[in-house]
């Protein structure tokens, strides 16, 4: 488990940020600028004024174009829609840059596969921002889960994000919770119980979708996903059942400020050692394969 109490003795990784939306401002720019493992060098976005507002609090430059951003950094963080990410990340790979990628990897399975293959061929470091996986509580849950024999599980990722506000974005409203929230839950279920062999779905991802996952060890898990339900607070909950008392992971009340320093340390360590962790683009491709399988019903 990552120990962020240990001092960082290496040079900070120089990171350029692509995107200047709410998530880029709230997480990426702020976290990458906080260091000491990383330094936010520049920001590029389609809207120059938004890029300027994102970069200004941290003294970062505003790149006039994507190529200029690449010239001034050694790693690129993406906070843009998946279709845009899959295209621009390919150009960053060709420039030899390490990648901090959002989920899902691409807007569809072919684009995700092209990106993952290019990353592997180029040998560059990649890492996914699967936010739960960097929280100490989630890491404790997974460590405990791997010691259990799980017969079945039920889980949910529910919120009202698509009803309005910063995250009711066009790609989320078009594709729904399966593409947006699905990677988080499928990743956690796969990591906690064992590899998912088959997944099928019922419902409308833009309203409510129910997944049934069959794991290679015979366990079965259920997953309810929606971004269109009115709740006082959205969140994720997983319950694992077997011969032992249930094991529960619940994000209610979790402070995600505990996750971001871990993410930053993991990414910088991967870049400096040249060795990606388990949450790399290949993991993102596996999750996208499961999502594509689920979308077929």
């Amino acid at each position: 488990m990552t120990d962020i109490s240990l001092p960082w003795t290496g040079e900070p990784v120089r990171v350029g940020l692509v995107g200047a939306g709410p998530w880029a401002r709230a997480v990426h720019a702020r976290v990458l600028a906080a260091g000491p493992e990383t330094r936010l060098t520049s920001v590029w976005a389609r809207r120059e004024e938004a890029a300027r507002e994102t970069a200004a609090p941290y003294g970062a430059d505003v790149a006039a174009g994507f190529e200029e951003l690449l010239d001034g950094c050694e790693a690129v963080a993406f906070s843009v829609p998946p279709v845009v990410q899959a295209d621009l990340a390919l150009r960053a790979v060709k420039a030899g840059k390490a990648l901090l990628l959002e989920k899902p990897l691409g807007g569809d399975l072919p684009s995700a596969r092209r990106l993952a293959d290019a990353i592997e061929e180029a040998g560059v470091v990649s890492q996914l921002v699967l936010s739960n996986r960097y929280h100490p509580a989630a890491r404790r849950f997974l460590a405990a889960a791997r010691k259990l024999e799980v017969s079945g599980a039920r889980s949910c990722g529910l919120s009202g994000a698509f009803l309005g506000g910063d995250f009711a974005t066009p790609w989320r409203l078009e594709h729904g919770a399966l593409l947006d929230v699905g990677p988080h839950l499928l990743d956690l279920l796969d990591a906690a119980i064992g590899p998912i062999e088959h997944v099928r779905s019922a419902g409308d991802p833009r309203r409510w979708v129910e997944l049934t996952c069959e794991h290679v060890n015979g366990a079965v898990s259920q997953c309810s996903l929606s971004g269109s339900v009115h709740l006082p607070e959205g969140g994720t909950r997983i319950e694992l059942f077997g011969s032992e008392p249930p094991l529960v992971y619940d994000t209610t009340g979790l402070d995600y400020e505990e996750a971001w320093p871990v993410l930053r340390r993991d990414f910088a360590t991967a870049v400096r050692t040249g060795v990606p962790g388990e949450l790399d683009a290949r993991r993102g491709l596996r999750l996208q394969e499961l999502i594509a399988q689920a979308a077929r019903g």
Side-chain angles (χ1 to χ4, degrees):
M1 189 173 291
T2 304
D3 187 352
I4 59 172
S5 68
L6 296 174
W8 177 257
T9 57
E11 286 292 315
V13 176
R14 295 175 292 110
V15 186
L17 173 60
V18 177
W23 188 246
R25 294 193 303 271
V27 175
H28 287 77
R30 180 175 61 86
V31 170
L32 293 168
E37 302 93 344
T38 58
R39 179 166 66 89
L40 182 65
T41 60
S42 58
V43 179
W44 176 74
R46 180 175 54 84
R47 295 182 298 114
E48 183 178 345
E49 184 56 34
R52 197 171 304 282
E53 292 174 359
T54 303
Y58 313 107
D61 295 332
V62 175
F66 185 60
E67 296 302 325
E68 182 177 310
L69 179 126
L70 293 179
D71 289 341
C73 67
E74 55 188 311
V76 184
F78 291 88
S79 184
V80 290
V83 172
V84 179
Q85 172 174 271
D87 178 50
L88 292 178
L90 278 175
R91 293 164 60 185
V93 168
K94 292 177 182 177
K97 307 301 179 182
L99 306 176
L100 186 62
L101 299 160
E102 271 295 339
K103 54 76 203 165
L105 207 55
D108 55 25
L109 182 55
S111 64
R113 182 171 288 120
R114 283 193 297 270
L115 178 54
D117 288 346
I119 289 169
E120 187 170 340
E121 182 177 346
V124 299
V125 164
S126 62
Q127 183 170 308
L128 289 172
V129 183
L130 288 166
S131 50
N132 284 290
R133 287 285 223 120
Y134 302 100
H135 200 289
R139 293 191 169 189
R140 290 192 295 270
F141 165 75
L142 290 177
R146 288 163 181 157
K147 298 176 184 177
L148 298 178
E149 184 175 335
V150 178
S151 300
R154 60 189 181 195
S155 66
C156 63
L158 306 174
S159 77
F162 303 163
L163 298 177
D166 288 340
F167 297 103
T169 55
W171 77 267
R172 290 183 173 92
L173 295 179
E174 178 184 356
H175 296 285
L178 181 58
L179 199 61
D180 182 31
V181 188
H184 289 298
L185 266 295
L186 289 170
D187 170 65
L188 287 170
L189 291 170
D190 185 270
I193 302 170
I196 296 171
E197 186 173 38
H198 183 73
V199 57
R200 59 186 185 274
S201 69
D204 180 352
R206 290 166 296 186
R207 298 181 63 202
W208 184 290
V209 62
E210 199 76 22
L211 306 182
T212 300
C213 304
E214 299 173 17
H215 299 254
V216 294
N217 58 12
V220 176
S221 58
Q222 296 286 143
C223 181
S224 304
L225 301 171
S226 180
S228 304
V229 291
H230 182 75
L231 291 170
E233 181 181 356
T236 296
R237 182 178 174 88
I238 299 173
E239 300 172 277
L240 305 182
F241 299 93
S243 58
E244 302 292 328
L247 181 65
V248 177
Y249 173 67
D250 193 329
T251 64
T252 303
L254 284 187
D255 181 2
Y256 274 87
E257 291 306 309
E258 295 183 50
W260 309 135
V262 177
L263 181 151
R264 186 175 58 234
R265 177 65 64 97
D266 281 359
F267 182 58
T269 299
V271 174
R272 287 290 173 250
T273 62
V275 180
E278 64 172 319
L279 303 178
D280 62 358
R282 190 55 56 181
R283 179 63 173 173
L285 176 59
R286 176 60 185 146
L287 297 176
Q288 199 122 20
E289 288 171 342
L290 293 173
I291 288 167
Q293 188 182 109
R296 293 194 290 268

